[in-house]
Amino acid sequence: MRAVVVGAGIAGLMAGRTLARAGHEVIVLDKGTSVGGRMATRRIGEATFDHGAQFFTVRTDAFAAHVHGWVQAGAVQVWCRGFDTADGHPRHVGTRGMSGVAKHVASGLDVRCGVTVQSVSRGPDGWRIAAREGLSLRADVLVVTCPIPQARVLLEGAGVALPEALATLEYDRTLALLVPLPASGGPFVLPPPGGLQHPDATFSFIGDNGRKGISSAPALTFHAGPAPSEALWDASTEVQLQTLLAAAAPYLGTAVPVGAQVKKWRYAMPRAGWPSPCWASSEGTLVLAGDAFAGAKVEGAAGSGEHAARTLLA
Ligand SMILES: Cc1cc2nc3c(=O)[nH]c(=O)nc-3n(C[C@H](O)[C@H](O)[C@H](O)COP(=O)(O)OP(=O)(O)OC[C@H]3O[C@@H](n4cnc5c(N)ncnc54)[C@H](O)[C@@H]3O)c2cc1C
């Protein structure tokens, strides 16, 4: 069986890995320059930032088994066991940033980045997948893991109608402010372990990438909450930057940021979830997976991808 997976976020990679381990030919396509999707890590000068997911938790035995392997392989470590109060639950991070976890899961898979899938269609010999860059592939089964609004556009072209409640799922947006700080400019005001959840009306999370262990230079990630992100979404990049930097000032102490950037996540978090861990077409050759299905987090997305593969293998 030949499987094409659209999306090399954690859902697509877990789906691809599960299918490949079962002996099938798998090609994973992603429009990004690297794997990971919303598990994203970026460098600005000497500073390294996680700018999507900041950490992940583990609630199921199935996911715990994967994470154990990733820890053994040196790809994942525990950052802390709580932020404002230590609740005991480990917060895991990639040792080389969150994208490093995705890179680890992707190793050995045929993953092609920089490939934007433009259309999918069903024919007598299976699925035909066409990319903007000119690539055209045939597949027996298709796994689609991009956020639902993007998946819906792709599938409409193939005459696939999703259930109304799935097709109309909406996502919150997030503006991420990335602030590199000079090593000599501190101290800045973020107590150990270096993460603040819902610290004020603007930010939903502030993360210190240095304390987290992924950046040798001081580097803070600020995530604006859904409402401030929405309010600033259409402003110019300069207005977004200056507005968020002003809101971030109380956390910067005397440090003067140089080269701060804003990153926009159009589909950051689904506002609601589909009740099953994936959605399969009636003839069973198409499966949708991702964080819209089994919980809007890294663990849910990973579990959804794995479940999608097992659905195709059943
Ligand atoms: C700002 C932010 C903070 C977060 N914080 C946390 C956190 O602290 N803890 C946590 O557990 N979760 C967090 N999350 C959520 C977590 O990142 C996601 O739930 C998870 O990474 C989703 O994985 P996925 O594979 O379902 O989707 P994605 O990671 O979005 O992967 C989908 C992939 O599809 C690709 N794609 C889309 N369209 C196409 C196309 N046409 N052709 C080819 N490729 C395509 C995209 O490039 C992308 O790589 C956060 C998310 C954001 C945005």
Side-chain angles (χ1 to χ4, degrees):
M1 185 162 83
R2 177 191 252 203
V4 166
V5 179
V6 182
I10 194 67
L13 294 172
M14 290 297 284
R17 196 177 113 122
T18 307
L19 289 165
R21 286 197 168 177
H24 300 288
E25 185 192 352
V26 178
I27 301 171
V28 184
L29 305 175
D30 201 291
K31 66 182 181 179
T33 52
S34 182
V35 299
R38 280 170 275 167
M39 295 176 78
T41 307
R42 172 183 291 190
R43 289 198 66 148
I44 304 176
E46 292 302 304
T48 304
F49 298 84
D50 279 333
H51 59 99
Q54 297 293 295
F55 60 86
F56 61 90
T57 48
V58 178
R59 296 180 196 283
T60 62
D61 290 345
F63 192 51
H66 290 301
V67 174
H68 179 72
W70 300 344
V71 171
Q72 296 294 307
V76 165
Q77 64 191 17
V78 173
W79 175 10
C80 60
R81 292 176 183 270
F83 294 103
D84 307 338
T85 54
D87 57 23
H89 292 295
R91 271 55 166 194
H92 294 84
V93 294
T95 49
R96 285 173 291 279
M98 294 295 268
S99 68
V101 185
K103 284 179 185 154
H104 176 70
V105 178
S107 61
L109 276 177
D110 182 352
V111 182
R112 305 184 193 177
C113 290
V115 176
T116 304
V117 176
Q118 203 165 29
S119 71
V120 299
S121 53
R122 267 186 295 210
D125 63 343
W127 289 92
R128 180 64 53 186
I129 297 98
R132 187 183 295 159
E133 294 75 11
L135 182 73
S136 175
L137 294 171
R138 191 204 68 79
D140 299 301
V141 294
L142 178 63
V143 183
V144 177
T145 67
C146 34
I148 298 300
Q150 296 172 322
R152 191 188 63 218
V153 171
L154 271 185
L155 294 171
E156 269 170 5
V160 176
L162 299 177
E164 177 73 6
L166 180 57
T168 54
L169 273 188
E170 294 182 349
Y171 286 65
D172 282 330
R173 303 173 187 201
T174 297
L175 289 179
L177 172 69
L178 312 181
V179 184
L181 295 166
S184 55
F188 47 88
V189 197
L190 221 52
L196 295 177
Q197 282 181 306
H198 305 290
D200 58 39
T202 303
F203 298 118
S204 55
F205 191 82
I206 306 175
D208 179 337
N209 296 283
R211 285 208 207 276
K212 194 191 219 186
I214 66 161
S215 181
S216 55
L220 298 184
T221 299
F222 294 79
H223 281 160
S229 294
E230 189 79 40
L232 270 176
W233 193 259
D234 293 322
S236 69
T237 307
E238 191 53 29
V239 168
Q240 290 169 343
L241 189 62
Q242 294 312 327
T243 307
L244 293 177
L245 273 174
Y251 305 97
L252 302 180
T254 54
V256 180
V258 178
Q261 295 182 8
V262 172
K263 158 79 189 168
K264 296 169 85 169
W265 292 105
R266 170 67 186 84
Y267 301 110
M269 299 270 189
R271 286 188 190 148
W274 185 249
S276 317
C278 68
W279 178 85
S281 63
S282 53
E283 90 295 354
T285 61
L286 164 71
V287 184
L288 264 66
D291 68 342
F293 294 90
K297 297 206 162 150
V298 169
E299 177 169 14
S304 174
E306 195 171 9
H307 192 92
R310 298 206 187 288
T311 300
L312 290 169
L313 294 171

